[in-house]
Amino acid sequence: MKTVMVPQRSGRAAEYSANGDVLTVTIDEQSDTFDFSAMPDGRAESFETALPVCPVLSAERVGGELTVRLLHWYGADANESEKQEREVTI
């Protein structure tokens, strides 16, 4: 799974972990799992979650390769690199 972090200013924080095409997200001590393993080629932009905010903006599978765009919240003291969209490994 390739992940792209999309910056957004917020006082919140999210923790991400992945196992293959299964993503687990924790926000405010509450966790939810997003399982993309059965997702066919195509794009999805709407996800149900029990989290207070859905951190998954989109998921797209092209030629079998999955790319997930996720919110990356940064605080008032963030440096410039934290405010940039970037690909990360989780």
Side-chain angles (χ1 to χ4, degrees):
M1 172 188 327
K2 181 167 69 170
T3 54
V4 176
M5 303 304 264
V6 178
Q8 183 179 69
R9 171 71 173 91
S10 177
R12 290 190 183 271
E15 294 179 27
Y16 297 98
S17 64
N19 183 5
D21 287 346
V22 179
L23 175 71
T24 301
V25 184
T26 302
I27 300 172
D28 298 336
E29 299 181 16
Q30 187 175 4
S31 295
D32 203 352
T33 299
F34 300 85
D35 187 350
F36 300 104
S37 58
M39 182 178 168
D41 277 6
R43 183 175 177 89
E45 295 181 334
S46 180
F47 306 93
E48 290 188 25
T49 183
L51 296 170
V53 175
C54 184
V56 181
L57 301 174
S58 67
E60 184 172 26
R61 189 179 298 275
V62 177
E65 183 178 355
L66 177 65
T67 301
V68 180
R69 295 175 58 81
L70 304 169
L71 283 176
H72 166 67
W73 291 306
Y74 64 87
D77 60 346
N79 61 45
E80 286 305 310
S81 67
E82 290 180 283
K83 297 177 184 178
Q84 303 300 313
E85 186 173 302
R86 64 190 185 281
E87 187 177 321
V88 298
T89 302
I90 53 174

